Amino acid sequence: ELEKYVPLKLFTDSVPNPMLSASQASEQGQKHQMWQYQMVDRVTNPTYVLFKPDPSEPFQNGRPNGEVLGMFEGLITDTSEFVEFLRKPLAP
């Protein structure tokens, strides 16, 4: 079911990119945390979000623009429940 989506990790503490300085990595993580809060009004980690970007304007005011199709908070402890979460937005 995951192959039907484009996976994206949104690091919200510090972005592990060797091209960034420690302060830049931290700043990027803070920016991602703000996006997470603005998009789904949550800062729980992990949070899985099924997000459909707006193809005509994928970013608006410096943040991702689109529609949240679903959200799953916390660790995956029930695989069948998570699979259902992934299938729901694609159901006819």
Side-chain angles (χ1 to χ4, degrees):
E1 294 301 318
L2 283 172
E3 291 177 359
K4 297 175 183 174
Y5 295 94
V6 176
L8 173 72
K9 289 182 182 181
L10 190 65
F11 292 94
T12 57
D13 294 325
S14 181
V15 175
N17 181 340
M19 302 296 288
L20 299 176
S21 69
S23 64
Q24 290 171 323
S26 179
E27 283 178 30
Q28 190 70 41
Q30 289 174 4
K31 181 172 151 182
H32 291 175
Q33 188 176 47
M34 183 63 74
W35 286 355
Q36 180 185 7
Y37 185 73
Q38 290 172 337
M39 290 168 53
V40 295
D41 194 24
R42 304 278 193 288
V43 290
T44 303
N45 284 324
T47 298
Y48 299 87
V49 178
L50 301 178
F51 183 76
K52 182 178 179 181
D54 181 333
S56 65
E57 190 175 6
F59 285 87
Q60 186 176 53
N61 299 323
R63 66 174 227 179
N65 183 37
E67 179 183 3
V68 173
L69 303 176
M71 183 173 55
F72 187 97
E73 293 182 87
L75 295 174
I76 302 166
T77 58
D78 183 337
T79 304
S80 60
E81 179 184 18
F82 189 72
V83 168
E84 181 60 30
F85 158 73
L86 294 172
R87 287 181 178 161
K88 190 173 180 179
L90 302 176

